[in-house]
Amino acid sequence: MRESIVIMGGGVIGLSCAFELQRRGYQVTVLEINRCGGQASGAAAGMLAPYSENVEGSDAFFRLCLDSLRKYPDWQHNVKQISGQTFEYTNSGSLYIVYHEADLLALEGRLLWQGQSGSSGSILEGDTLFRLEPNLSRNVRAALHTPEESHLYAPHYVSALEHACRLMGVTIYENLEKLSVVEWQSGILIQSTDQRMFSGDQLVVCSGAWARELSYTFGISIPVYPIRGQICAYEVDEKPVQHMVFSNQGYVVSKENSTLVCGASEDVAGFDTSVTEKGIERLRKWNKQAFPFLENRSPFYRWAGLRPSTQDGLPLIGSLSSSNNVVLAVGHYRNGILLSPATAMFVADCVEGKRISDDNQAFSPERFS
Ligand code: FAD
Ligand code: GLY
């Protein structure tokens, strides 16, 4: 009989793990207290940007992010093929802009280590830069161009993942409200508020910003906290921005559906997902500075999501030493969409009891305990 896996959480991480585990022959059930993709995953800008999101140097986290970017071409093709649904996946490349001469040195340092890590990036200035991104403010001094970086349309991607999972035979329960882990050491037993019981051989926890709730259950410290990201979109006629454009203030990315997505704040606001005037005004100020054509425009859509952040900025991925039946995959903070394929394969390897690479030991879910 096929081994059965219960996954708690139907965001991009839970659905990616379900997709990979079902493909590897397991019988997978996803339990979602709300709606699949209804939290951080559906709110994301969809950028697949390991170089722009990691500016310090090449560590285990950067390498996991880069590995995931490289898995994306095949992975997204499989999701599209199996789901029969399409979604935007664009290799736009990115520009990390700076306004001051003094910031050039930092860009050069990044170019050096990122070049050694496989980027074909370069620093662009003057006419070369403005030819590539004509609407960029002439106050921009230089930009680090990284052609490898891509982006996708996150809500459609998550919906395609969910659809692919269902078509492959994954059972998905939504709107379960609250779940209790009744047994996790010899087999898995989960109870919902309406007294339904869900059983399996192994459990994968993918409950995003809510993962800390399970610290007591498993007797370990799971320091995952919600960091709200407020984000907005402008309606645009043509494609006014060609690349994903980052700075230390935020980012801008054009989508195929004639929107320009601009993000995002990093607020400590508990589990509150409301959008504030102050949060959006800050984004507008930065957007106008980078792209003067936005001066008199207002975003037509504003939303927010809760990033699952951790104490040390790294996700918690791996099996518990107290029970090989439980795998955690939480705390993906700013890069959960990017990390979807790499996390799914890492988790599936844990479920199969494969050896964890030295690099991936850095994500041990018990490192805080
Ligand atoms: P979620 O999507 O939050 O899913 C967790 C799910 O678990 C939820 O559906 C929740 O209802 C459910 N749940 C909670 N508790 C339980 C329980 N006890 N039992 C069952 N289910 C439970 N990442 C990128 O890679 N690129 C980007 O460009 C990007 N942009 C972002 C922009 C914004 C504004 C935000 C907020 C985030 C962005 N991110 C981006 C980060 C990314 O969205 C997250 O890292 C990712 O969505 C986390 O996925 P997740 O599945 O862990 O969490
Ligand atoms: N990775 C973009 C964000 O989290 O806002």
Side-chain angles (χ1 to χ4, degrees), residues 277-318:
E277 258 330 296
K278 196 172 152 208
I280 298 299
E281 208 34 57
R282 223 198 112 258
L283 293 178
R284 282 189 68 194
K285 200 168 148 206
W286 179 76
N287 299 336
K288 289 189 286 197
Q289 192 190 0
F291 289 101
F293 75 92
L294 291 173
E295 178 69 43
N296 296 316
R297 301 205 197 181
S298 280
F300 81 111
Y301 192 49
R302 303 144 189 236
W303 67 100
L306 302 173
R307 301 181 188 90
S309 84
T310 62
Q311 228 164 49
D312 61 2
L314 307 186
L316 282 73
I317 313 174

Side-chain angles (χ1 to χ4, degrees), residues 51 57-58 105-119 121-123 144:
Y51 296 102
S58 173
L105 202 62
L107 282 196
E108 280 161 9
R110 271 161 59 188
L111 180 66
L112 194 69
W113 75 258
Q114 294 187 347
Q116 286 160 357
S117 305
S119 164
S122 56
I123 292 177
L144 177 54

Side-chain angles (χ1 to χ4, degrees), residues 8-14 31-35 37-41 43-47 179 206-210 213 229 231 251 264 305-308 332-338:
M8 282 175 86
V12 72
I13 298 301
L31 306 180
E32 166 57 55
I33 55 168
N34 199 295
R35 187 172 52 79
Q39 294 291 348
S41 304
M47 298 177 302
L179 295 169
C206 304
S207 51
W210 293 263
E213 292 169 356
I231 180 164
Y251 52 79
L306 302 173
R307 301 181 188 90
H332 291 71
Y333 193 37
R334 292 180 61 96
N335 290 289
I337 304 290
L338 167 62

